Amino acid sequence: MMIFKGRNRVTSGFRLAARPEHNGIDLVGDDDKTVHAVAGGTVGFAGAVSKSAGGLTWQWGYYVRIDGNDGRKYYYCHLAAGSLRVRAGQRVQAGTALGTMGNTGYSFGAHTHFEVRNAYGTPIDPAGYAGVRNAVGTYTDTTDKEDDMKFSCEKHLLQAAVAAASRAASAKSPISALEGLLIEAGSGVRVTGYDLKKGIYMNIEADVAQPGSAVLMTAKLFSEMMRLLPDGIVTVEVGDDSRASVRCGQSEYGFMALPAADYPELPEVDESEAVRISQKALRSMIDESIFAVSTNESRPVYMGSLFELEGGRLTMVSVDGYRLAIRRESVQGGAEGLRFIIPGSALLDVERLCADSDEEVLLNVGTKHSSFTIGGTVVVSRKLEGDFLNYKKSLPENFRYVVK
């Protein structure tokens, strides 16, 4: 697996006797300047290192350190200032975009320096990760294999993930990758669908032989193919020829695969103050109020439902100009006074994913987006902006007749 997409060349190697801990290679991307993770793990550091902070690994530059799941530490230096796409503490998978190559004044321009260490800090020759021999003077072009990927899993698991993610995939988009599904294989497999307004991803267990990521085209074809496969173990493999194969029993299908870097990143939602509610309760709330959501695009704010959190109770309000539906449930967590509007299309997907069980749904609300975590599935949706009806004034305070 390569550090970045496209073709690359090694410009120099490092084996310094004066600094034996400084062992690695400099690479230049001829086709793409984006730097990708070669292994999954946790981002231990992402930022600038000054000349006085050489104890970290290098003496200067912007860099990312990933504490790998395999116990090794992966260092990427000479990234461009302000291009970092990850932050410390963030979990990443192989193929995750880390940043872009930076120019430190060398004649060969923008590049990255790469080295690997084990858990004890001992340098490891990165040649096996870069695809070239780590020695000064070995300047060869190599073809990227970053999107190479192979994994196997139960058919019903992959079919469920594909079906869920396909609901958010775009039917037609100027960004071709959005018509497909992003498949990421690391410690497990994640299947993602996204149309820039709503995203759904599902994590499943799988036997990953080759970590990687790719976009399989299209979501509709992939979903139809999964229904045709026999029950059993499914093997998905993506080669360096932009082709993907899916095998199960005697059946095999081929798909076009796009680079994972072509797929837009899903927005991140703050998870510090999640609202917790049972799947059964949330499903009931949506089912009993979604009918009043408007379909009139001239008033987009009413094409969603208003959520309010007061006194440990979550209120859901839908109105279309003729009907008003209000549903309340007791919940745990969340910030008092929380108020936001979720599109009805996203709520329908949440309702389909919720089971008639007491397992919790985690509802997180960010500045512009919200997310619903339902087991191993996450629905991310943009919030609707605008002035929603003051429904409290629309309800009479007193009634002439009360039926008990």
Side-chain angles (χ1 to χ4, degrees):
M1 179 173 294
M2 290 301 173
I3 297 176
F4 50 87
K5 282 192 53 56
R7 298 179 65 81
N8 70 81
R9 55 192 171 89
V10 179
T11 58
S12 57
F14 288 92
R15 285 176 179 169
L16 304 183
R19 292 185 58 198
E21 77 283 358
H22 194 63
N23 175 58
I25 49 179
D26 272 315
L27 302 105
V28 173
D30 293 333
D31 295 340
D32 190 346
K33 304 298 184 185
T34 303
V35 179
H36 299 266
V38 300
T42 303
V43 180
F45 184 90
V49 176
S50 66
K51 291 183 178 180
S52 60
L56 286 172
T57 177
W58 294 283
Q59 288 186 316
W60 36 258
Y62 284 75
Y63 86 95
V64 170
R65 188 192 81 232
I66 293 178
D67 300 328
N69 295 326
D70 57 3
R72 294 175 174 177
K73 299 181 184 296
Y74 298 82
Y75 297 86
Y76 309 80
C77 189
H78 309 332
L79 300 180
S83 77
L84 299 180
R85 303 184 185 183
V86 295
R87 64 179 185 273
Q90 180 179 338
R91 296 285 299 173
V92 298
Q93 292 185 332
T96 299
L98 305 177
T100 59
M101 296 186 178
N103 192 336
T104 55
Y106 285 2
S107 59
F108 46 77
H111 66 290
T112 188
H113 181 82
F114 175 59
E115 70 177 49
V116 189
R117 299 183 187 182
N118 64 18
Y120 305 100
T122 304
I124 300 173
D125 193 332
Y129 303 89
V132 293
R133 186 164 60 89
N134 181 10
V136 176
T138 307
Y139 307 145
T140 60
D141 283 348
T142 56
T143 302
D144 171 51
K145 295 183 181 293
E146 186 248 320
D147 284 325
D148 283 7
M149 175 177 63
K150 184 177 181 180
F151 67 88
S152 301
C153 66
E154 293 283 351
K155 179 225 174 177
H156 71 91
L157 293 177
L158 184 58
Q159 184 175 10
V162 169
S166 293
R167 296 191 183 109
S170 178
K172 192 69 175 177
S173 173
I175 304 175
S176 299
L178 292 179
E179 298 176 25
L181 296 177
L182 174 63
I183 313 294
E184 299 171 285
S187 56
V189 169
R190 171 178 291 185
V191 182
T192 303
Y194 186 36
D195 64 2
L196 298 182
K197 295 180 180 179
K198 174 183 64 182
I200 300 177
Y201 64 84
M202 185 172 181
N203 299 306
I204 61 173
E205 295 182 354
D207 181 11
V208 179
Q210 175 63 50
S213 55
V215 181
L216 269 61
M217 303 292 289
T218 61
K220 181 179 179 180
L221 291 175
F222 197 12
S223 183
E224 291 176 353
M225 177 274 302
M226 289 302 304
R227 289 195 294 268
L228 297 174
L229 286 177
D231 293 336
I233 300 298
V234 178
T235 299
V236 179
E237 186 171 4
V238 179
D240 57 1
D241 56 354
S242 298
R243 299 293 299 175
S245 66
V246 181
R247 300 189 304 275
C248 184
Q250 300 299 314
S251 301
E252 181 173 355
Y253 294 88
F255 293 88
M256 181 178 71
L258 298 180
D262 293 350
Y263 205 84
E265 294 183 13
L266 265 68
E268 295 184 1
V269 181
D270 183 15
E271 301 179 357
S272 59
E273 294 190 55
V275 177
R276 300 189 301 277
I277 182 174
S278 71
Q279 293 188 28
K280 179 167 58 177
L282 181 57
R283 183 180 181 180
S284 175
M285 288 182 72
I286 297 173
D287 179 61
E288 296 175 8
S289 60
I290 197 70
F291 67 90
V293 171
S294 175
T295 58
N296 187 350
E297 295 183 358
S298 65
R299 298 187 297 174
V301 71
Y302 295 123
M303 295 181 70
S305 295
L306 171 69
F307 286 81
E308 288 184 332
L309 182 60
E310 293 180 353
R313 299 192 73 191
L314 184 65
T315 301
M316 181 178 174
V317 184
S318 302
V319 61
D320 62 1
Y322 303 97
R323 299 168 295 185
L324 173 65
I326 302 176
R327 184 70 163 79
R328 295 185 175 92
E329 280 286 348
S330 297
V331 297
Q332 295 181 326
E336 182 70 16
L338 197 61
R339 179 185 172 94
F340 54 95
I341 306 170
I342 302 297
S345 59
L347 293 175
L348 285 172
D349 288 323
V350 171
E351 181 186 10
R352 293 189 188 101
L353 292 167
C354 287
D356 188 19
S357 73
D358 293 324
E359 291 187 25
E360 285 189 337
V361 176
L362 300 182
L363 170 55
N364 297 285
V365 183
T367 305
K368 295 183 178 181
H369 295 82
S370 63
S371 69
F372 296 81
T373 302
I374 309 161
T377 307
V378 178
V379 179
V380 180
S381 172
R382 64 176 177 83
K383 299 191 299 184
L384 295 179
E385 302 293 337
D387 296 325
F388 202 87
L389 173 72
N390 187 345
Y391 69 93
K392 295 179 180 178
K393 289 187 177 181
S394 301
L395 299 175
E397 297 182 359
N398 300 303
F399 298 89
R400 184 175 182 180
Y401 300 103
V402 178
V403 179
K404 295 185 179 180

